[in-house]
Amino acid sequence: MSREKILAAVAKNKPTSTPLPQIQNFGNQYADLAEQFRSVLTTIGGEVVRVKDWEEIRAYIQTHFVGFRIITTIGELSDMAQNSWLQSDPHSLNNVGLAVLQGQFAVAENGSMWVTEAEMGQRAAPFIAESLALVVKISEIVPKMHDAYARIGSADYGFGAFIAGPSKTADIEQSLVLGAHGPKSMVAFLID
Amino acid sequence: MKVGLFIPCYVDQFYPKVGIATLQLLEKFGCQVSYPSKQTCCGQPMANSGYEHLTHDCNRLFINNFAEYDYIVSPSGSCVLHIKEHLHAPESETQNEGKATHIRKRIYELTEFLTDILKVENLEARFPFRVGLHQSCHGQRGLHLSQMSELVATPFSKPEQLLNMVKDVELVKLSRKDECCGFGGTFCVAEEAVSSRMGIDRIDDHVKNGTQVLTGGDMSCLMHLEGVIRRRKLPIKVMHIAEILTATE
Amino acid sequence: MTINHATAAEKFNKDFDRTTWHDETLWWVRQKRDRAAFSIPEWEKLRDTASQIKHNVLSNLDTYLVEFEKNAQKNGITVHWAADAHEHNEIILSILKKQGVTQIVKSKSMLTEECHLNPYLAENGVEVVDTDLGERIVQLADEPPSHIVLPCIHWKKEEIGVLFHKHLGTPEGCADPTLLTHAARENLREKFLTRRVAITGVNFAVAETGEFVVCTNEGNADMGAHLADVHIACMGIEKIIPQRVHLGVFLRLLARSATGQPITTYSSHFAKPRAGQEMHIVLVDNGRTTQLGREEFRNSLKCIRCGACMNTCPVYRRSGGHSYHNAVAGPIGSILAPNLDMTKNADLPFASTLCGSCSNVCPVKINIHEQLYEWRQVLTKSGHSPTAKTLGMKAMAAVLSNPSVYRLSGKMGRLALANVPFVVNNSLNPWYKQREMPEPPKESFGEWYKKNRG
């Protein structure tokens, strides 16, 4: 059995045990978390829109995504979207124009937002849609990734992702192109 | 203090004036300098080629030549680094390991000896030229003579600190301040194409930024770069830093 | 017979302007890395922390592997163990056969490159489509990636235009990166929608939770995995980290070191298969336990495959990834490859000036340049050096060990210019190809000293 062979070889060859280091938090160097988040996410191709309430989000979507197939898991926006998609074959989401999902929280240092399967509805949703909108409460921005994992703790999820901007590539001569295989655009709504 | 002058083999053979300038600098600051006449080489050419096991005789010789000095000083970061990292008594002569340890701890590259041990603050030198400094990797990344561009850390530079004491020197700002020149010991012939190309690119950076005199703390890098300059007939003069620190032009 | 690095690099350097372009493109990435690193005041402490976590991992790897296996199984993931590349490939093929699948999608995995999975599956009638854009480009060109993070960094956009015109039907002469990328997007979207099995790599696997993390910018790993009935993730055993909280350290370092981004677009945490889906993970040794036993080289197993050492390496930038004839090129590849095959890779530790820049950018502080030096000693002692070189070195050592012989040959040497230690073992002396030798002085320093101070 390779399993036993590998484990035996590791046991034989591993060095003397050294302790795990303390993981420091390194504090918060950002005066304004929302501004730091906005500034980072916009430099990596995302858009950040500050909104007071759901009505503003609704208005934004109505202006920018006319005629698109919209899906969401957010109760407040359910009337704008189809509601029969949650149980359907994920391949059928191929024509989704916009997925609007809730992010649990955002990270100021890198412009990412944490979204788990519960908010995604279907795992494919934030990836297969032409555009992605994530809604995060402005009070839910943490400074750094250490804070992010402290926040996640030992949460039980089947799948979760930090998402930072639209999908992108620079594989052709280091020229940045938005819209590789996932969404071509991404907007983060920071809601009061 | 008793200083043993270690002049690397290729400096001894090809650049005696660098040895002379080094000696003059040390004497100028009151060191009692001797040059052990039986010295040859630090052994690095063999070691870096994978033949560290052939360096025992060089090591024995080095220990015999330099064990008695308070400090050992050399105008070559690369050779000093090799001694610092690899000088040990041959296995059959473990009684001499103490001497080897003494040498490893007391050997200094010239510029760091001037700034850190002699704490030189005034050189009374003048050199009215645009000077481009080549940071040799072994001096910089090995001996930490200057801060390294990769590290998120406070900048400093011992050779620049000294060059700034020379009247009328204008230091050239390079596009890549600490990229390797491509010398690399036997690399310069074993990987001739890449080595030459790296040298050409370093020189190009100096040409673009207006270097009149190219300097550095390692004559091996400078020998390689000078080879490129002369082949391309470029109007750049090459001098070891010791020569500029003793200049009175 | 593999072409050695020096010969391949010489060929690469024949095109002067292209070498300039390759060097400058990668230097640009190094500069982006610098800007990202310098925006984090605690950068060096993060590197220390990451290195220490990895050291703890290496020293408890068996415990963590068992813990990971237990938790992954609890999560509903099937765990496989592969002693070598062949077993890894067989495991994958057996899963595909069970599914009756002959067409699959695969996102980036250097491990599958190392195991030569694609050719193996092709021989067994399975078509693999690489979905990372860069990997797709080199796949269409029938080449291996030349860089672990930027697989087609050696390709110009005009050449990609020609390739895509031929394979994807883009307009002739189209070299616009956006248009080319979107053409690949259209083409690969169809593959994602129709393939039932997706392979991904693994960036980190967490022992404590049994989850694994895959980082991409393109979203291709997610598109593959979330649309497929079966997700197979392949990882080297060293990818384990103890706890979820450690991801905070590594995800801060990875993308900043790799491309200068603050984080990859997607950092996907796969903990359980989705309802109705199968999820497999293959834990691969393939020489890693041997490397673990090599005290001076085991730190190479800390590598998180960011590619920073390649981008900063002045030799890599001027010789191209293919010159390293190994799945992982550049400085890190040169310390990993001899562990796999000393004879075939004996040249790689010499493809370096030992400048040390690689060790300084490494986010887990692998002493890469020191290991290159150590590999040189190991390879030489184990008889992997050319005889002529050994003879030359012995002759040089003999001269340098004897002061009077040295003085004498120095005198002659200054005339013949043959005694520079660096060139003494080369009869044709390649130094002269592009460089002059120093002009010999009348006397050596030793002779001057004797006259003036003696």
Side-chain angles (χ1 to χ4, degrees):
Chain A
M1 274 290 280
S2 294
R3 181 184 185 276
E4 277 59 45
K5 207 170 112 187
I6 294 168
L7 290 174
V10 171
K12 179 167 163 266
N13 290 340
K14 66 182 180 179
T16 319
S17 183
T18 52
L20 276 172
Q22 281 291 318
I23 306 301
Q24 291 184 58
N25 177 278
F26 297 112
N28 171 24
Q29 75 201 73
Y30 311 115
D32 180 341
L33 293 175
E35 174 49 28
Q36 172 67 19
F37 174 79
R38 188 203 60 77
S39 137
V40 175
L41 185 53
T42 38
T43 57
I44 55 180
E47 205 178 323
V48 179
V49 179
R50 290 278 300 261
V51 292
K52 281 196 203 65
D53 51 29
W54 294 100
E55 271 320 300
E56 279 193 45
I57 296 178
R58 195 181 286 276
Y60 184 97
I61 292 171
Q62 274 161 355
T63 324
H64 291 81
F65 295 95
V66 182
F68 284 86
R69 181 183 173 195
I70 299 174
I71 57 170
T72 188
T73 51
I74 300 174
E76 285 86 345
L77 302 172
S78 59
D79 59 305
M80 302 189 76
Q82 296 181 334
N83 45 24
S84 62
W85 64 282
L86 287 170
Q87 311 313 325
S88 61
D89 179 341
H91 295 82
S92 69
L93 303 177
N94 189 36
N95 61 356
V96 168
L98 175 70
V100 192
L101 309 170
Q102 183 105 40
Q104 289 190 5
F105 61 88
V107 186
E109 71 159 316
N110 58 24
S112 70
M113 287 150 282
W114 175 247
V115 191
T116 71
E117 196 167 18
E119 296 85 44
M120 290 176 188
Q122 292 224 33
R123 291 184 188 185
F127 305 98
I128 199 166
E130 189 89 354
S131 293
L132 174 66
L134 293 176
V135 184
V136 176
K137 282 189 198 151
I138 198 154
S139 56
E140 305 290 326
I141 306 176
V142 301
K144 296 179 179 176
M145 289 303 278
H146 312 295
D147 310 294
Y149 281 100
R151 173 85 193 251
I152 293 171
S154 56
D156 185 26
Y157 48 75
F159 176 75
F162 285 100
I163 299 179
S167 79
K168 57 181 171 284
T169 181
D171 273 346
I172 301 178
E173 285 202 20
Q174 282 293 294
S175 306
L176 181 67
V177 178
L178 301 183
H181 296 301
K184 291 179 176 172
S185 69
M186 201 224 67
V187 55
F189 292 110
L190 293 182
I191 189 165
D192 282 348
Chain B
M1 64 180 74
K2 272 172 63 189
V3 172
L5 181 61
F6 163 41
I7 298 297
C9 47
Y10 63 95
V11 175
D12 174 46
Q13 294 298 323
F14 291 116
Y15 299 99
K17 59 187 179 169
V18 174
I20 295 166
T22 304
L23 176 67
Q24 286 169 347
L25 261 178
L26 294 172
E27 287 177 342
K28 179 175 167 181
F29 292 102
C31 300
Q32 195 190 323
V33 190
S34 314
Y35 171 77
S37 67
K38 287 185 174 169
Q39 59 180 288
T40 61
C41 169
C42 63
Q44 181 173 211
M46 281 88 77
N48 278 7
S49 305
Y51 295 81
E52 195 180 329
H53 58 283
L54 295 183
T55 60
H56 299 320
D57 292 337
C58 276
N59 286 349
R60 179 185 300 113
L61 205 54
F62 203 93
I63 292 167
N64 289 343
N65 279 318
F66 289 104
E68 63 179 282
Y69 295 97
D70 299 328
Y71 292 99
I72 300 95
V73 179
S74 177
S76 163
S78 188
C79 304
V80 168
L81 180 69
H82 179 75
I83 293 295
K84 257 193 188 311
E85 289 186 339
H86 301 289
L87 183 77
H88 290 284
E91 275 169 29
S92 54
E93 299 155 36
T94 45
Q95 74 278 9
N96 286 333
E97 187 55 28
K99 291 180 181 173
T101 307
H102 167 80
I103 293 173
R104 288 199 309 275
K105 285 189 177 154
R106 290 301 186 114
I107 187 163
Y108 282 83
E109 183 272 345
L110 175 65
T111 61
E112 62 176 349
F113 188 71
L114 293 173
T115 57
D116 299 0
I117 303 300
L118 297 180
K119 304 203 185 297
V120 168
E121 281 172 5
N122 193 347
L123 280 164
E124 288 150 16
R126 178 171 180 267
F127 194 68
F129 297 99
R130 288 174 59 82
V131 173
L133 174 66
H134 176 69
Q135 308 265 19
S136 89
C137 301
H138 286 172
Q140 190 206 18
R141 297 196 182 84
L143 295 174
H144 294 198
L145 300 183
S146 308
Q147 189 53 275
M148 300 161 265
S149 64
E150 300 91 359
L151 300 186
V152 180
T154 318
F156 68 89
S157 167
K158 294 173 190 180
E160 279 185 18
Q161 189 185 326
L162 291 167
L163 286 168
N164 283 326
M165 294 175 202
V166 179
K167 212 172 155 224
D168 299 331
V169 158
E170 191 187 336
L171 275 175
V172 170
K173 203 170 176 317
L174 297 167
S175 310
R176 300 188 193 179
K177 64 175 180 176
D178 57 6
E179 173 131 314
C180 176
C181 68
F183 172 66
T186 41
F187 181 88
C188 75
V189 286
E191 287 264 6
E192 183 277 330
V194 179
S195 171
S196 295
R197 183 58 212 251
M198 286 168 69
I200 289 165
D201 289 352
R202 273 305 66 233
I203 293 304
D204 195 41
D205 196 353
H206 283 277
V207 169
K208 275 188 194 146
N209 290 291
T211 294
Q212 291 175 310
V213 178
L214 172 64
T215 192
D218 254 301
M219 217 49 230
S220 49
C221 305
L222 295 180
M223 175 170 75
H224 160 71
L225 292 172
E226 186 183 35
V228 171
I229 289 169
R230 284 180 45 223
R231 175 63 60 90
R232 305 189 147 227
K233 301 191 182 357
L234 296 168
I236 293 180
K237 201 176 169 197
V238 178
M239 291 169 77
H240 188 273
I241 192 166
E243 297 177 90
I244 295 181
L245 301 182
T246 49
T248 50
E249 294 187 41
Chain C
M1 171 85 190
T2 316
I3 299 172
N4 71 30
H5 182 276
T7 310
E10 189 180 354
K11 204 172 143 209
F12 185 88
N13 272 277
K14 287 254 163 27
D15 190 336
F16 191 92
D17 293 340
R18 196 182 180 101
T19 306
T20 307
W21 166 80
H22 191 263
D23 167 67
E24 284 174 355
T25 309
L26 286 153
W27 181 254
W28 160 244
V29 185
R30 155 76 203 270
Q31 288 178 305
K32 286 199 290 182
R33 173 263 171 211
D34 287 354
R35 281 196 291 275
F38 278 80
S39 75
I40 307 294
E42 63 268 28
W43 184 256
E44 301 303 333
K45 279 187 194 151
L46 273 179
R47 291 175 69 222
D48 281 332
T49 307
S51 189
Q52 288 164 19
I53 295 170
K54 284 283 188 177
H55 206 277
N56 171 273
V57 168
L58 296 180
S59 63
N60 296 283
L61 187 56
D62 44 355
T63 317
Y64 290 137
L65 281 166
V66 171
E67 186 186 354
F68 174 76
E69 179 190 43
K70 186 189 77 190
N71 289 321
Q73 285 170 343
K74 211 190 289 171
N75 291 344
I77 302 174
T78 309
V79 180
H80 308 260
W81 299 73
D84 54 22
H86 185 67
E87 189 176 4
H88 162 264
N89 295 347
E90 281 181 338
I91 289 168
I92 303 230
L93 183 64
S94 73
I95 299 170
L96 299 181
K97 278 192 170 156
K98 209 174 139 201
Q99 293 291 323
V101 160
T102 56
Q103 291 182 312
I104 64 168
V105 284
K106 176 162 80 69
S107 70
K108 204 186 275 167
S109 151
M110 288 320 297
L111 177 74
T112 60
E113 288 294 327
E114 174 189 320
C115 295
H116 304 289
L117 176 68
N118 284 15
Y120 174 85
L121 290 181
E123 279 165 31
N124 286 281
V126 178
E127 178 216 60
V128 182
V129 171
D130 284 322
T131 56
D132 172 82
L133 177 63
E135 288 209 320
R136 185 63 181 152
I137 290 166
V138 291
Q139 185 179 38
L140 289 174
D142 200 20
E143 275 185 1
S146 71
H147 187 293
I148 58 174
V149 173
L150 318 162
C152 68
I153 196 70
H154 61 297
W155 275 73
K156 294 205 171 192
K157 58 185 182 207
E158 292 78 13
E159 295 158 350
I160 296 167
V162 172
L163 189 75
F164 276 21
H165 173 64
K166 186 179 157 201
H167 293 277
L168 306 181
T170 52
E172 197 165 0
C174 171
D176 178 66
T178 304
L179 293 174
L180 294 173
T181 299
H182 288 159
R185 174 191 170 98
E186 292 297 308
N187 179 269
L188 289 167
R189 182 59 72 110
E190 186 269 328
K191 316 282 185 214
F192 286 127
L193 291 169
T194 51
R195 302 313 192 246
R196 290 177 41 227
V197 176
I199 294 180
T200 69
V202 170
N203 291 90
F204 307 99
V206 184
E208 173 190 58
T209 59
E211 73 195 307
F212 57 92
V213 176
V214 183
C215 302
T216 75
N217 284 317
E218 298 185 7
N220 56 317
D222 289 287
M223 284 295 285
H226 304 319
L227 292 173
D229 300 335
V230 180
H231 174 189
I232 309 170
C234 307
M235 60 176 268
I237 52 173
E238 82 283 16
K239 291 276 183 250
I240 296 270
I241 58 171
Q243 299 157 13
R244 189 182 268 171
V245 70
H246 296 140
L247 289 167
V249 174
F250 290 106
L251 290 182
R252 296 190 76 193
L253 288 164
L254 178 62
R256 289 187 175 100
S257 298
T259 58
Q261 294 171 258
I263 189 168
T264 50
T265 306
Y266 305 108
S267 308
S268 297
H269 299 47
F270 293 87
K272 300 169 188 171
R274 68 168 198 277
Q277 188 198 33
E278 264 183 41
M279 196 179 273
H280 298 261
I281 190 142
V282 190
L283 302 169
V284 185
D285 180 349
N286 203 38
R288 285 162 178 76
T289 52
T290 311
Q291 189 87 322
L292 188 65
R294 299 183 199 272
E295 194 183 339
E296 63 274 54
F297 303 121
R298 64 166 61 110
N299 278 349
S300 63
L301 295 171
K302 293 181 176 180
C303 177
I304 58 170
R305 302 292 190 269
C306 71
C309 61
M310 303 181 182
N311 306 336
T312 201
C313 178
V315 177
Y316 174 88
R317 281 189 259 112
R318 293 174 185 83
S319 53
H322 290 155
S323 299
Y324 294 81
H325 54 79
N326 186 55
V328 182
I332 183 68
S334 299
I335 59 173
L336 292 172
N339 176 57
L340 292 170
D341 186 338
M342 283 204 217
T343 308
K344 196 172 146 241
N345 299 313
D347 56 326
L348 296 182
F350 293 91
S352 164
T353 59
L354 306 181
C355 80
S357 186
C358 46
S359 305
N360 278 347
V361 296
C362 178
V364 289
K365 297 189 84 165
I366 301 169
N367 55 337
I368 304 176
H369 72 295
E370 289 169 7
Q371 294 193 33
L372 288 165
Y373 177 91
E374 288 302 330
W375 267 119
R376 292 179 183 189
Q377 314 307 324
V378 169
L379 288 162
T380 301
K381 277 192 194 157
S382 56
H384 291 91
S385 265
T387 315
K389 184 179 173 186
T390 302
L391 291 174
M393 285 293 157
K394 281 187 174 160
M396 195 199 311
V399 171
L400 295 173
S401 308
N402 187 324
S404 50
V405 175
Y406 164 77
R407 311 258 164 252
L408 186 66
S409 60
K411 254 180 201 160
M412 302 188 313
R414 281 202 301 284
L415 298 173
L417 293 175
N419 193 43
V420 185
F422 323 103
V423 294
V424 72
N425 60 333
N426 275 270
S427 53
L428 293 172
N429 200 350
W431 178 281
Y432 281 110
K433 277 195 191 169
Q434 302 186 67
R435 288 164 292 206
E436 300 295 332
M437 281 298 267
E439 280 167 359
K442 285 197 269 318
E443 58 185 5
S444 69
F445 176 78
E447 287 160 345
W448 177 91
Y449 187 86
K450 209 170 163 186
K451 272 190 219 160
N452 293 278
R453 295 285 196 281

